[in-house]
Amino acid sequence: MIFRSAWFMVIFVVVVMIVAILLLGFLIFTVLQQFVARHKNVDDESGPHGP
């Protein structure tokens, strides 16, 4: 029982860490995508108005 609970805790911690890393990666990806989209929109808007 002790070994089983230890393995369960290890697996649980690993799964939580993987989920947290995936959430952080997805969050950073969405932020970068929004930043790039805004940057492209600004360039497109400033293009025709510029020389």
Side-chain angles (χ1 to χ4, degrees):
M1 294 299 294
I2 295 172
F3 288 106
R4 287 181 181 179
S5 61
W7 275 110
F8 178 76
M9 287 294 296
V10 171
I11 292 171
F12 181 75
V13 170
V14 170
V15 170
V16 169
M17 285 178 66
I18 289 171
V19 172
I21 291 170
L22 287 174
L23 286 173
L24 285 173
F26 183 74
L27 200 86
I28 293 169
F29 179 76
T30 49
V31 171
L32 286 174
Q33 195 174 13
Q34 288 180 357
F35 179 77
V36 171
R38 288 178 182 177
H39 195 63
K40 284 183 179 180
N41 288 334
V42 170
D43 289 341
D44 291 339
E45 289 178 356
S46 65
H49 293 292

